[in-house]
Amino acid sequence: MLNLFALTCEEVAGEMSRRYGKGMYHAAALYREIFKKGSTSFAKTIEFSRSPSLAVQLAGDLRLPSCRIIATQEEEGVLKFASALADDRTIESVIIPARGRTTLCVSSQVGCRMGCRFCATGEMGYVRNLTVEEIVWQVHAARFKLNRRVDNIVFMGMGEPLDNLANVTGAVRVIGDQRGFDMAPSHITVSTAGHADGIRDLAALNIRKLRLAVSLNASNDELRTRLMPINQRYPLSRIKQELLAFPVEKGGVIFIEYVLLEGINDSREDAIGLARYLTGLPVRVNVIAFNPSGSNIYTAPGEENVRRFCGWLAGEKLFVRLRRSRGQAIMAACGQLGSAALGGEEKL
Ligand code: SF4
């Protein structure tokens, strides 16, 4: 089978040549129909109408993802959609319009093994990695099934993307193909809970302008390990070592995500500790007020506390932005995707 959603156009052309003795002329037409127009009627294109037997052969060999949208929920313009995969596992993705641009938050795994204490997906445990085609399908579904534009993609949905590095970077290649979605790496952000080996491996791939975000949430190992068990394996010193080595374009930044939990990580001391930790790194800090979900034991900070914390960071000369998290009512906000009811097995 020709697994189109897992291949760049160049690779499709290679397959066309190997299977049918054809090349880029037909591959580009197929790619254009599926990824630019959202149509499967490639047989009607000029390119294929001249080779009807090829169109029939290809239709028999073509493998498209057997994913389907099973639910959508919308609040304040934020649209969450749940997709059933071929094995009936469920993932969630979120479309977030803001300031004239639309960001699609995609999942990279069913569940997650990182077990962050403030995250609904973490409560599920790990089920499995998404394939390249399942990741790419989320973009296709947002564009053509839900008819939304997609300007930016963030890997901040279910799962730790660097725990599924090969498929995530495979999807980045397909999504970036100019003959298809044409979304440059500079419009794609991979967000990690601090998977230091993954940061190192991603750096080695040197995907120019791909953006990196690190969900930090604490500036000392004791607290961070309590909030994010992955910190036991990759303590703050190791993460910093990898961030210092990460290739950042001139003028570029690494995004630091900081989920603010009332009475846990929102003191002045926490802010100063964070600033100290980030010294020497080209960063922008995104502060996100915690969104309560499921059986979570943490409390959302008041508006005043959030502003005060941002003020302290700014006072330490950090470039800080308060990220307003929308979609709480439909559990589409940061850390709210998935539910324990979806089922999972393995935790870190
Ligand atoms: S915050 Fe991210 S890495 Fe942590 S458990 Fe949730 S999905 Fe996994």
Side-chain angles (χ1 to χ4, degrees), residues 108-109 111-124 155-161 191-194 215 217 227-230 259 334-337:
S108 55
Q109 295 179 316
C112 182
R113 73 175 110 227
M114 300 302 134
C116 303
R117 302 288 183 236
F118 48 84
C119 171
T121 311
E123 285 178 27
M124 285 176 65
F155 281 86
M156 293 185 186
M158 297 164 70
E160 161 58 59
S191 176
T192 176
S215 179
N217 310 317
L227 299 175
M228 307 176 78
I230 190 179
V259 176
C334 295
Q336 289 187 322
L337 294 189

Side-chain angles (χ1 to χ4, degrees), residues 85 89-91 108-112 124-128 130 158:
L85 310 175
R89 297 291 190 179
T90 306
I91 53 163
S108 55
Q109 295 179 316
V110 182
C112 182
M124 285 176 65
Y126 171 80
V127 179
R128 70 169 175 84
L130 294 189
M158 297 164 70

Side-chain angles (χ1 to χ4, degrees), residues 7-14 24 27-29 31-32 174 177 179-180:
L7 300 171
T8 62
C9 193
E10 202 76 41
E11 289 163 347
V12 175
M24 185 51 91
Y31 222 75
R32 180 188 70 227
V174 174
D177 197 307
R179 293 185 175 88

